[in-house]
Amino acid sequence: MSGNRQIGEQYRLMKRSGLDDLIKVLRVLDYRVIGPTESNGVIEFAELGDASELPWGLRDEQKPGSYSVSKGGDRAFEFSNGPTSLKRYFHPTERHLWTVDASGGQLQFEEARVQVPKYAFLGIRPCDLASLDILDQVFLNGVETNRYYESCRQNSLYVAVNCSSAGDLCFCASMETGPTARSGFDISLTELRSSDAYRVLIEIETDRGRSIVNQIDTSEAHENDLSLAREQSDGVARSMGRTLHTWGLRERLQENADDPAWADVAERCLTCGNCTMVCPTCFCTTVEDRASSHDQKYERWNTWDSCFSLDFTFVSGGALRQSSKSRYRQWLTHKLSTWVDQFGVSGCVGCGRCIAWCPVGIDITEEAARIGEPQARA
Ligand code: SF4
Ligand code: SF4
C-alpha cells in the first residue's frame, strides 16, 4: 500500500452494505460481475447477482490432494482459492475460430464472430491478478496476439481482495505475487480483522475505480486502518503454509534432467493433467476440426490441452514424450525454469491449486526442492 498519495484520495472504508452497493453499481454499468461463491462443495468464480451470494462465513481447508469447505468466521473472503481461476474467462476451455462452408461447391471461410463480454471481476486474489500479468506475456507480447484475450482484458474491471489469512498450500510470498495486490487492479479491498464491526478498507488505483467508489456509501479511512491492513498482510506472509526456494532454481532444473528424483515423482504421477487444468497460467491448447457432414460445414475450434497428455507431442512417428517422467519433467521445468527464458518471469504464482487438486497429492514445492539436491532426498 502506497503512502505517497493522500489517504483521503486513495483510501476509503465501507461496511458490509457497501459490497451490495458495489455490485449494484457494476451491474448498472453493464458489467457481468464475476466473483467467488459456494457451489457443489467448492468456492469458485461465477456470475453474482448480489453480495449475499458471496461465500460469507465459509473457509476452505486445503491439503495435498484434498479440498473441503466448512463454516467458520463471518467474512466474505476467508478462503484461499477455489479450483477455478480467471483463466477460464480470458482463455476459455474451448473457442470457435472459424467455419468453412463447402455446400456451394466452393470453400467459403468465415471467421467466428465471438461477443466479448464486459466483466467486472470481484474478489481476485493477488496471486490470480499476477497470473494475468503472466498470461499477458503469452497472449499479448508473444509471437502472435490473441485478439479474444486482448479484448477481454481491455473490457474488464478488476476488484482485488487482499488476503487476510494464509492457506496451508499457499506460497505467493515466495513468488512475490502476494499476499497484497500491488498493481493491475482498479480497486482493492481488505477485510479488516478487528473487534469492531465488519469494515473493508478500499484502495483506489484508477480513475474508473474512483468513479465507482464515488457512487457507493463509504467513510473516511485513517492511518490506523492502513496500519492494521499492513500488519495483517505481514502476518499472512509470515504464516504462509508453503515456501518455494527460487534462488538458483532455474539453473538447477535445467542442469539436472537426469536426476533420479524425476523417476521417483513419475512413479506417483498419474499424468491426469489436473494440475495444468487448475493452474491459472498453464495455457497450452490444441486445435480440433468438427465436421457436420449433412450440411457440409466444418468448424475449427481451439481447446485446452496439457503437456501431460500423450497426444500433446504427437508428430509423425509417435509422441515425443512417451514416459510420465518426461512429461512431469517438462511441466515442472517449463513452469519454474524455461518459462523465465521464454517470458522473463516464472510461470508459477504460488496459488497452491496444483497441490490441492492433484489426486495423489504431489507437491510442486517439494518436488522442485529435490531436483539436483541429493540431501533433500535423504
Ligand atoms: S504451478 Fe501450481 S502453485 Fe504454481 S501457479 Fe500453477 S497451480 Fe498455482
Ligand atoms: S502431478 Fe498430479 S495432477 Fe499433475 S498430472 Fe501428475 S497426478 Fe495429475
Side-chain angles (χ1 to χ4, degrees):
M1 284 168 208
S2 148
N4 296 339
R5 278 184 266 166
Q6 292 292 316
I7 292 179
E9 270 179 50
Q10 195 180 358
Y11 297 97
R12 300 292 294 171
L13 284 175
M14 71 176 173
K15 297 187 281 196
R16 180 174 168 147
S17 58
L19 280 168
D20 251 325
D21 294 347
L22 177 57
I23 293 176
K24 275 185 200 138
V25 170
L26 293 171
R27 286 168 61 89
V28 166
L29 293 170
D30 276 339
Y31 284 106
R32 289 178 61 187
V33 181
I34 306 295
T37 192
E38 196 269 340
S39 168
N40 297 319
V42 297
I43 297 171
E44 61 174 354
F45 285 111
E47 187 159 359
L48 301 179
D50 59 58
S52 70
E53 294 171 47
L54 290 167
W56 291 98
L58 293 180
R59 290 186 172 144
D60 53 10
E61 188 176 351
Q62 303 196 31
K63 302 274 177 212
S66 143
Y67 172 99
S68 61
V69 172
S70 59
K71 285 199 171 18
D74 54 3
R75 294 157 207 280
F77 305 102
E78 296 262 356
F79 57 93
S80 309
N81 254 323
T84 55
S85 67
L86 301 185
K87 177 173 79 172
R88 77 170 178 185
Y89 295 95
F90 293 97
H91 176 45
T93 50
E94 58 172 26
R95 193 163 53 87
H96 185 195
L97 298 177
W98 45 261
T99 300
V100 57
D101 185 347
S103 59
Q106 280 193 323
L107 299 183
Q108 302 282 340
F109 288 85
E110 191 182 347
E111 195 174 345
R113 288 201 190 88
V114 183
Q115 187 80 27
V116 179
K118 184 178 167 187
Y119 289 126
F121 294 102
L122 167 66
I124 319 168
R125 293 293 182 202
C127 58
D128 274 354
L129 208 51
S131 75
L132 294 181
D133 286 342
I134 293 175
L135 290 181
D136 286 352
Q137 296 297 321
V138 176
F139 292 128
L140 301 182
N141 305 331
V143 187
E144 192 181 322
T145 300
N146 178 322
R147 298 286 168 213
Y148 181 88
Y149 179 90
E150 182 181 52
S151 303
C152 200
R153 276 291 260 153
Q154 286 167 355
N155 279 1
S156 298
L157 182 119
Y158 306 89
V159 182
V161 166
N162 296 319
C163 299
S164 51
S165 57
D168 190 43
L169 304 183
C170 297
F171 55 100
C172 65
S174 335
M175 307 313 290
E176 300 182 357
T177 58
T180 296
R182 306 273 169 211
S183 60
F185 57 88
D186 294 283
I187 306 163
S188 81
L189 310 177
T190 306
E191 290 180 305
L192 294 178
R193 290 187 171 279
S194 69
S195 51
D196 300 338
Y198 182 83
R199 291 179 312 145
V200 177
L201 179 68
I202 305 173
E203 182 177 9
I204 302 161
E205 188 67 12
T206 63
D207 288 341
R208 65 179 178 171
R210 181 180 315 286
S211 106
I212 286 162
V213 173
N214 284 345
Q215 296 175 61
I216 63 179
D217 185 20
T218 61
S219 58
E220 203 176 336
H222 299 97
E223 186 54 50
N224 57 334
D225 300 312
L226 270 64
S227 302
L228 181 56
R230 280 191 211 103
E231 273 168 36
Q232 280 183 197
S233 175
D234 292 348
V236 174
R238 281 196 303 273
S239 59
M240 210 126 283
R242 294 280 188 286
T243 301
L244 181 69
H245 296 289
T246 54
W247 181 252
L249 182 59
R250 173 175 160 269
E251 295 75 16
R252 191 154 52 76
L253 290 175
Q254 291 187 29
E255 288 163 9
N256 288 282
D258 297 322
D259 193 294
W262 294 119
D264 177 73
V265 67
E267 287 283 311
R268 289 169 281 135
C269 176
L270 309 173
T271 65
C272 65
N274 264 16
C275 46
T276 57
M277 298 297 119
V278 295
C279 179
T281 65
C282 278
F283 61 89
C284 289
T285 56
T286 187
V287 287
E288 279 178 17
D289 290 335
R290 300 177 187 174
S292 124
S293 51
H294 67 278
D295 63 1
Q296 293 194 294
K297 285 191 178 170
Y298 307 90
E299 293 179 345
R300 176 154 288 188
W301 287 73
N302 183 268
T303 62
W304 282 9
D305 203 348
S306 167
C307 53
F308 282 98
S309 144
L310 188 58
D311 285 348
F312 186 67
T313 56
F314 192 87
V315 291
S316 168
L320 292 176
R321 294 188 204 108
Q322 297 270 346
S323 67
S324 45
K325 173 178 141 182
S326 64
R327 279 177 265 159
Y328 186 87
R329 182 175 58 199
Q330 161 64 24
W331 179 68
L332 193 79
T333 306
H334 187 215
K335 182 74 45 190
L336 300 177
S337 178
T338 50
W339 201 299
V340 181
D341 301 338
Q342 198 175 0
F343 301 113
V345 287
S346 170
C348 177
V349 294
C351 70
R353 286 185 177 94
C354 58
I355 310 173
W357 295 94
C358 171
V360 292
I362 292 173
D363 181 336
I364 186 174
T365 64
E366 287 179 7
E367 301 309 326
R370 296 163 79 213
I371 305 299
E373 299 283 2
Q375 65 280 13
R377 293 196 293 277

